[in-house]
Amino acid sequence: QLPCTVRDLSEAAGIPAMQIQRVLMQEGVMARINDSMDEDLTEFVAAELGLEVNFAQAVTLEDELLASIRDAEDPEDQLQPRPPVITFLGHVDHGKTSLLDRLIGINVVSGESGGITQHIRAYQIEKDGAGISFVDTPGHEAFTEMRARGANVTDIAVLVVAADDGVMPQTEEAISHAKAADVPIVVALNKIDIPGIDPMKAMADLSANGLQPSEWGGDIEVVKTSAITGEGMDDLLETLLTVADLNEYRANPNRNALGTSLESQQESGHGVVAKVIVQNGTLRVGDVVVCGDAYGRVRAMFDTLNPELAIEEAGPSTPVNLLGFNTAPAAGEHFYVLDDIAKARELAESREDQARRDSLGSTGPVHVTLENLFD
Ligand code: GTP
Ligand code: MG
């Protein structure tokens, strides 16, 4: 964006601000970090510093995409009901994976190393003819960021709180993620089977954290559950479906798909396998996709619950394992379907250049800041 300040340029290009000031000084311009430069001066400095790419370009391309794709209004008559996306959040070991396993009738938890979820899982199931999508997030502290992303694709957050443990630090984090995402919260007060526990303590914790249980006159549904005995599972599902019904989630399946990458990895024999969730439109085999610095043509898609099952198209709220990206897109990156592979490549490459500059800047050897040089 022009005109820009010394700081803007420094941040956009990933180079120390002092380097920019040095160039300016050679031109007889004494600039402070918040002083702005006009277009000519900015271009001159960029050229002097050997930045061959115009930094405004990545922003402009991204802006164009955001404007033309993401924010394109869907005509009312194109909108159709879509499955809710329900994310499990909460403190480590409080039972997120066990609850989800129990809900959808699989067993992932017993196969996890150390019983700790390392990956984001996303599944779509059918219940009474309607779809429901679930996302399970890692609960370990190291995964705060991933969990934050989990909340972003989410319509409803299930906050899992172990009744014997109550609200813990990562429960609080989960609450703030859900609040930031502005999604309804349903509490699963789990491990209710443990003999001698007092659920009142956990309820009081919740209340102290701004989640007033409905049985205490508040607006938060607290469902007592046990992933071991199955107690409360029907109740939990019913509560979630009620919340979903109230919100009437809709999307337009008749447009180019867009969504979010949840995680991805390089798998031998397959290339890049990206777990993505479609948020609007319909994603089809053969589509051109761009996702951050990754792009490609969708070569194949597979069901996330049944990894052998190939899928030709995936509608709104559907998670899939996607083959076809040239490189692994970062988790949390948005993906878009474009009509033109050349445009997808251009966009991906400009992002890649940007990332390279950022990483160069952050590891640069210069420790003198502008403030201590000039102030
Ligand atoms: P992370 O993914 O590591 O954050 O953990 P998680 O929240 O997914 O918890 P997980 O499902 O792995 O369960 C942790 C432990 O609690 C396991 O040993 C489960 O068997 C146990 N557990 C889960 N739910 C219940 C429950 O309702 N009752 C009892 N008694 N134990 C449970
Ligand atoms: Mg887990």
Side-chain angles (χ1 to χ4, degrees), residues 96-97 109 112 115-117 136-139:
K96 299 175 291 295
T97 302
V109 73
E112 291 183 334
I116 291 177
T117 301
D136 177 26
T137 60

PDB file of all heavy atoms in Angstrom, residues 96-97 109 112 115-117 136-139, ligand 2:
ATOM      1  N   LYS A  96     -11.781 -35.297  24.869  1.00  0.00           N
ATOM      2  CA  LYS A  96     -12.297 -34.845  23.569  1.00  0.00           C
ATOM      3  C   LYS A  96     -12.357 -35.992  22.559  1.00  0.00           C
ATOM      4  O   LYS A  96     -13.390 -36.232  21.927  1.00  0.00           O
ATOM      5  CB  LYS A  96     -11.403 -33.725  23.004  1.00  0.00           C
ATOM      6  CG  LYS A  96     -11.344 -32.496  23.885  1.00  0.00           C
ATOM      7  CD  LYS A  96     -10.357 -31.463  23.368  1.00  0.00           C
ATOM      8  CE  LYS A  96      -8.907 -31.911  23.492  1.00  0.00           C
ATOM      9  NZ  LYS A  96      -8.445 -32.071  24.883  1.00  0.00           N
ATOM     10  N   THR A  97     -11.215 -36.680  22.414  1.00  0.00           N
ATOM     11  CA  THR A  97     -11.142 -37.745  21.411  1.00  0.00           C
ATOM     12  C   THR A  97     -12.069 -38.902  21.780  1.00  0.00           C
ATOM     13  O   THR A  97     -12.777 -39.444  20.930  1.00  0.00           O
ATOM     14  CB  THR A  97      -9.687 -38.216  21.256  1.00  0.00           C
ATOM     15  OG1 THR A  97      -8.880 -37.091  20.883  1.00  0.00           O
ATOM     16  CG2 THR A  97      -9.558 -39.281  20.174  1.00  0.00           C
ATOM     17  N   VAL A 109      -8.856 -43.147  19.805  1.00  0.00           N
ATOM     18  CA  VAL A 109      -8.082 -42.768  20.986  1.00  0.00           C
ATOM     19  C   VAL A 109      -7.106 -43.862  21.401  1.00  0.00           C
ATOM     20  O   VAL A 109      -5.967 -43.583  21.773  1.00  0.00           O
ATOM     21  CB  VAL A 109      -9.002 -42.328  22.148  1.00  0.00           C
ATOM     22  CG1 VAL A 109      -9.721 -43.488  22.790  1.00  0.00           C
ATOM     23  CG2 VAL A 109      -8.221 -41.537  23.178  1.00  0.00           C
ATOM     24  N   GLU A 112      -3.664 -43.784  19.636  1.00  0.00           N
ATOM     25  CA  GLU A 112      -2.833 -42.583  19.655  1.00  0.00           C
ATOM     26  C   GLU A 112      -1.590 -42.797  20.505  1.00  0.00           C
ATOM     27  O   GLU A 112      -1.660 -43.392  21.573  1.00  0.00           O
ATOM     28  CB  GLU A 112      -3.632 -41.401  20.232  1.00  0.00           C
ATOM     29  CG  GLU A 112      -4.746 -40.945  19.319  1.00  0.00           C
ATOM     30  CD  GLU A 112      -5.464 -39.727  19.875  1.00  0.00           C
ATOM     31  OE1 GLU A 112      -5.452 -39.542  21.101  1.00  0.00           O
ATOM     32  OE2 GLU A 112      -6.018 -38.973  19.058  1.00  0.00           O
ATOM     33  N   GLY A 115      -1.596 -41.441  24.056  1.00  0.00           N
ATOM     34  CA  GLY A 115      -2.965 -40.981  24.307  1.00  0.00           C
ATOM     35  C   GLY A 115      -3.144 -39.496  24.056  1.00  0.00           C
ATOM     36  O   GLY A 115      -4.126 -38.903  24.459  1.00  0.00           O
ATOM     37  N   ILE A 116      -2.166 -38.888  23.379  1.00  0.00           N
ATOM     38  CA  ILE A 116      -2.253 -37.456  23.112  1.00  0.00           C
ATOM     39  C   ILE A 116      -2.538 -37.229  21.635  1.00  0.00           C
ATOM     40  O   ILE A 116      -1.866 -37.775  20.767  1.00  0.00           O
ATOM     41  CB  ILE A 116      -0.945 -36.738  23.513  1.00  0.00           C
ATOM     42  CG1 ILE A 116      -0.796 -36.755  25.042  1.00  0.00           C
ATOM     43  CG2 ILE A 116      -0.925 -35.308  22.998  1.00  0.00           C
ATOM     44  CD1 ILE A 116       0.493 -36.141  25.534  1.00  0.00           C
ATOM     45  N   THR A 117      -3.554 -36.440  21.364  1.00  0.00           N
ATOM     46  CA  THR A 117      -3.904 -36.149  19.980  1.00  0.00           C
ATOM     47  C   THR A 117      -2.866 -35.191  19.389  1.00  0.00           C
ATOM     48  O   THR A 117      -2.614 -34.129  19.942  1.00  0.00           O
ATOM     49  CB  THR A 117      -5.307 -35.522  19.910  1.00  0.00           C
ATOM     50  OG1 THR A 117      -6.226 -36.439  20.486  1.00  0.00           O
ATOM     51  CG2 THR A 117      -5.695 -35.234  18.472  1.00  0.00           C
ATOM     52  N   ASP A 136     -11.882 -32.580  15.797  1.00  0.00           N
ATOM     53  CA  ASP A 136     -11.235 -32.851  17.081  1.00  0.00           C
ATOM     54  C   ASP A 136      -9.881 -32.165  17.063  1.00  0.00           C
ATOM     55  O   ASP A 136      -9.148 -32.239  16.085  1.00  0.00           O
ATOM     56  CB  ASP A 136     -11.047 -34.370  17.251  1.00  0.00           C
ATOM     57  CG  ASP A 136     -10.306 -34.719  18.545  1.00  0.00           C
ATOM     58  OD1 ASP A 136     -10.358 -33.929  19.507  1.00  0.00           O
ATOM     59  OD2 ASP A 136      -9.693 -35.805  18.583  1.00  0.00           O
ATOM     60  N   THR A 137      -9.575 -31.453  18.128  1.00  0.00           N
ATOM     61  CA  THR A 137      -8.335 -30.682  18.150  1.00  0.00           C
ATOM     62  C   THR A 137      -7.388 -31.242  19.207  1.00  0.00           C
ATOM     63  O   THR A 137      -7.822 -31.775  20.209  1.00  0.00           O
ATOM     64  CB  THR A 137      -8.617 -29.205  18.476  1.00  0.00           C
ATOM     65  OG1 THR A 137      -9.237 -29.144  19.759  1.00  0.00           O
ATOM     66  CG2 THR A 137      -9.518 -28.590  17.439  1.00  0.00           C
ATOM     67  N   PRO A 138      -6.099 -31.097  18.976  1.00  0.00           N
ATOM     68  CA  PRO A 138      -5.140 -31.518  19.984  1.00  0.00           C
ATOM     69  C   PRO A 138      -5.288 -30.638  21.215  1.00  0.00           C
ATOM     70  O   PRO A 138      -5.525 -29.443  21.116  1.00  0.00           O
ATOM     71  CB  PRO A 138      -3.783 -31.262  19.325  1.00  0.00           C
ATOM     72  CG  PRO A 138      -4.070 -31.111  17.875  1.00  0.00           C
ATOM     73  CD  PRO A 138      -5.442 -30.544  17.788  1.00  0.00           C
ATOM     74  N   GLY A 139      -5.132 -31.244  22.393  1.00  0.00           N
ATOM     75  CA  GLY A 139      -5.337 -30.481  23.620  1.00  0.00           C
ATOM     76  C   GLY A 139      -4.046 -30.062  24.285  1.00  0.00           C
ATOM     77  O   GLY A 139      -4.046 -29.373  25.287  1.00  0.00           O
TER      78      GLY A 139
HETATM   79 MG    MG B   2      -7.489 -36.137  21.928  1.00  0.00          MG
END
